[in-house]
Amino acid sequence: MTLISPLAKASRKESGRTVGRGVRPWGIMFAVSLALLGGIGSRLAFLQLVKGDELRQTARNNSVRIAPKPPIRGNMFDRHGKVLATTKLAHAVYVWPVARTRPDWPKTKQLLSQLVGIAPSEIEKRLESQDIYATEPLAIARNLTLAQVTAIEEHHQTLAGVEVIIEPVRYYPEGDTASHVLGYTRELTPEEFETRQAEGYRLQDYIGKLGLEASLESRLRGEWGGQEIQVDRDGRFVKILGEKPAQAGEDLRLTLDAELQKVAQRVLGRRKGAIVALDPRNGDVLAMASYPNFDPNIFSDRISPEKWAAVTAQGDPFINRAIRGFPPASTFKVVTAAAGMESGKYPANTVLSTSPYLAAAGVRFYEWNRAGFGAAGYVKAMAWSSNTFFGQVGRGVGGETLIDWSRRFGFGSPTGIELNEETSGLIPDDDWTQERLDRPWNVGDTVNMSIGQGLTLATPLQVAQMFAVTANGGYLVQPHLVQTDTPVKTSLNMAPSTLEAIRQGLRAVVTNGTGTVLNIPGIPTAAGKSGTAEAPPRENHAWFGAFAPYDEAEIVVVAFAEHSGGGGGSVAGPMVRDVMAAYFELKEKAENPEATTATPE
């Protein structure tokens, strides 16, 4: 065993060696410092190089606010420049959501409710839709009266977080004139905002909801602008950093004649139905009336339940009946006549024997007089609206040919007018009856279609388009509401003899048939056709369509009265007469203003 002597221990302990004793702590400190500096440096590099842009944007957001400026929506004018839809400045009351955190908020809310006539619960619900620290106030009420503005200003000291702001509001100076055509705008719902936020819409933005306001939204809306404002850490204004001007929407000149539109609405009165006036040369829609209607100005503010109940009490006031489908009745015989002659089976000189009824598929299709009209050609049959004559023509050419010509005239598909609400009507065929009725198309369906009854549906606008074909020499024109230099028209390539026979028949309707109501001094030589559609168990629908002047037509008018009872010539005919007379009177005044102005003696 080896022993270590005490001397050896003592000499090692007391040797006095100092090499390395002072360096070790400093080395450790240096290593730690290097590690810390490396960590900080790498963190700084990460923040600067990787997260730099994001952090700079965050810092900018804390010191910069965006003050948005809404665009001015485009105006809509009638064909003569009369303003139909525009923008006016109005007062609105806004509340900052953060006001709800103040101890006096309950009193503020109650007072504001009394001043603007909105329930406290509704104000609260409105504010709950936005973050409490939102950087923009929320609109509580719009279109304030001067009395309301004055009252709010008088209580300014006790209405913390409440502001009165002047803002653009949609305005329709002619009230309910052409309301279905123009449509209306309304504030975005939270659900709509979620789906349209990416398009640049803001939470309190307005958007077109019906008519041209909706279908031409992208042209009318414009683009938001705003100011970049620098604020201090307390959110106080420092200076304006930059500005992007708001871009106004596009102004649109429409084909409507505001004065003729008013006449059409007055003539229609409180009768459910529609009136369409169309220029057959180019498809310009001169008037489009539908009743019940509405005043689009009501949507410039929030609608109370009482006001909404009053509007809807009329019954479906937002349905444009001019572009909804109904059985076209005997007006459709124009198509049947074209199919018969163009097929070659029933040329223009055809004469058929009419009778009290025509039997097909186990059904009797009666003449409206229950007696028949003896032997008749196209002109006489059209003048007296013979069901058995046109039923024989339809049965003879067959369903496929009749359906084909129906579609050539534009039935069964949208006309393409600039209204999202337009429906296609219905021209059924064998596929349709197989799918919907679980049976094949039969001869009874063909006869029913040939006289405009049964499953066939057409809109008043489509019927006007059909009359335009006979008025303009055989061209299908596309109806439109925005003026254009390039109207769309397509030739149906009908034989001159076909057009002439149909035109002579329509003229005979006015001279000695069911449309003699149009024979008045204020209307040039006219041609037209009546229609009475059965709609059991309710009253009949009444139709009348006409064009004038006969030789060089410049206007087509179609009137439709829903469940009106009576015949087309007696119910709808006078409406067409009055609109036509107004058109030619307005035209005379425009062309000879001096002759229509009384000169005092």
Side-chain angles (χ1 to χ4, degrees), residues 569-591:
S570 60
V571 176
M575 293 193 283
V576 171
R577 175 198 62 201
D578 293 346
V579 173
M580 270 199 171
Y583 169 81
F584 288 107
E585 182 181 355
L586 290 168
K587 179 185 177 184
E588 177 67 21
K589 288 181 178 180
E591 294 177 349

Side-chain angles (χ1 to χ4, degrees), residues 93-364:
V93 61
Y94 280 72
V95 176
W96 288 91
V98 74
R100 296 169 57 216
T101 64
R102 297 175 59 91
D104 57 353
W105 169 243
K107 292 183 179 179
T108 300
K109 179 173 61 176
Q110 189 64 39
L111 176 58
L112 183 61
S113 169
Q114 295 172 2
L115 296 178
V116 300
I118 295 178
S121 59
E122 189 65 23
I123 295 175
E124 194 70 45
K125 179 181 178 180
R126 185 79 168 166
L127 292 171
E128 286 175 353
S129 66
Q130 184 64 287
D131 184 86
I132 204 167
Y133 296 109
T135 57
E136 295 180 30
L138 279 175
I140 300 300
R142 291 186 157 101
N143 268 342
L144 300 180
T145 65
L146 290 178
Q148 288 174 318
V149 173
T150 301
I152 292 172
E153 292 300 329
E154 288 176 349
H155 292 87
H156 181 70
Q157 297 298 326
T158 55
L159 290 174
V162 177
E163 294 184 28
V164 174
I165 296 175
I166 297 177
E167 64 178 8
V169 173
R170 200 61 165 163
Y171 175 56
Y172 305 88
E174 300 296 325
D176 66 1
T177 300
S179 57
H180 290 98
V181 172
L182 300 176
Y184 63 91
T185 63
R186 197 168 186 183
E187 191 173 342
L188 281 169
T189 64
E191 295 76 21
E192 289 171 329
F193 172 68
E194 287 295 325
T195 61
R196 308 202 70 156
Q197 185 177 7
E199 300 174 40
Y201 285 88
R202 306 179 70 86
L203 184 59
Q204 299 179 87
D205 217 343
Y206 272 68
I207 189 171
K209 299 289 288 184
L210 190 77
L212 295 177
E213 293 280 22
S215 61
L216 302 181
E217 167 72 12
S218 60
R219 296 174 64 179
L220 291 166
R221 177 176 175 247
E223 294 183 9
W224 279 77
Q227 291 179 325
E228 280 193 342
I229 300 173
Q230 184 178 351
V231 297
D232 61 17
R233 64 180 182 180
D234 296 320
R236 292 175 297 200
F237 171 81
V238 175
K239 64 179 179 180
I240 296 176
L241 300 176
E243 182 173 1
K244 176 189 176 184
Q247 182 177 332
E250 181 182 351
D251 289 342
L252 299 176
R253 180 69 67 96
L254 305 184
T255 60
L256 293 179
D257 183 321
E259 295 308 311
L260 189 65
Q261 176 72 31
K262 291 176 184 178
V263 171
Q265 291 184 204
R266 184 171 66 249
V267 167
L268 188 57
R270 299 182 67 83
R271 183 186 289 112
K272 277 191 175 183
I275 295 177
V276 174
L278 183 74
D279 187 331
R281 299 166 295 185
N282 55 23
D284 283 2
V285 176
L286 305 175
M288 180 182 283
S290 177
Y291 185 84
N293 59 1
F294 60 96
D295 184 347
N297 287 305
I298 64 174
F299 295 101
S300 295
D301 193 6
R302 306 188 74 195
I303 303 177
S304 66
E306 295 76 20
K307 184 182 291 187
W308 182 253
V311 172
T312 56
Q314 304 175 72
D316 302 322
F318 304 108
I319 292 178
N320 186 350
R321 285 168 168 77
I323 50 178
R324 281 295 183 100
F326 302 92
S330 292
T331 62
F332 197 78
K333 290 170 181 174
V334 170
V335 176
T336 306
M341 285 181 270
E342 290 297 301
S343 70
K345 293 184 177 181
Y346 298 92
N349 60 357
T350 295
V351 175
L352 299 175
S353 177
T354 64
S355 56
Y357 64 85
L358 178 67
V363 178
R364 290 182 175 184

Side-chain angles (χ1 to χ4, degrees), residues 381-555:
M382 191 75 77
W384 292 103
S385 198
S386 171
N387 288 335
T388 59
F389 178 92
F390 288 100
Q392 290 179 77
V393 172
R395 182 176 63 182
V397 300
E400 288 188 9
T401 299
L402 186 59
I403 289 168
D404 175 53
W405 274 96
S406 301
R407 291 173 176 164
R408 291 194 199 190
F409 270 86
F411 294 104
S413 60
T415 66
I417 197 169
E418 309 95 319
L419 294 172
N420 295 336
E421 301 82 31
E422 183 183 21
T423 59
S424 301
L426 177 63
I427 296 297
D429 54 18
D430 184 64
D431 289 340
W432 191 93
T433 56
Q434 292 278 13
E435 179 182 347
R436 302 296 184 89
L437 305 179
D438 195 26
R439 66 166 177 79
W441 181 272
N442 61 49
V443 66
D445 296 319
T446 302
V447 172
N448 233 352
M449 177 180 285
S450 70
I451 58 175
Q453 293 279 178
L455 303 170
T456 306
L457 299 176
T459 71
L461 182 62
Q462 288 173 332
V463 174
Q465 189 181 36
M466 176 196 72
F467 277 108
V469 172
T470 63
N472 65 24
Y475 291 89
L476 186 71
V477 294
Q478 179 177 316
H480 57 272
L481 289 160
V482 179
Q483 289 197 5
T484 176
D485 295 328
T486 55
V488 179
K489 54 194 300 185
T490 306
S491 176
L492 297 191
N493 296 315
M494 289 191 291
S497 58
T498 299
L499 274 171
E500 186 58 27
I502 294 174
R503 285 170 57 84
Q504 288 181 9
L506 296 178
R507 176 65 186 141
V509 170
V510 175
T511 57
N512 61 354
T514 58
T516 55
V517 68
L518 264 65
N519 291 319
I520 63 172
I523 300 177
T525 304
K529 183 72 186 75
S530 62
T532 306
E534 296 178 358
R538 304 179 66 181
E539 296 282 355
N540 296 337
H541 302 309
W543 290 87
F544 201 94
F547 61 86
Y550 179 71
D551 291 327
E552 296 183 5
E554 56 190 71
I555 185 170

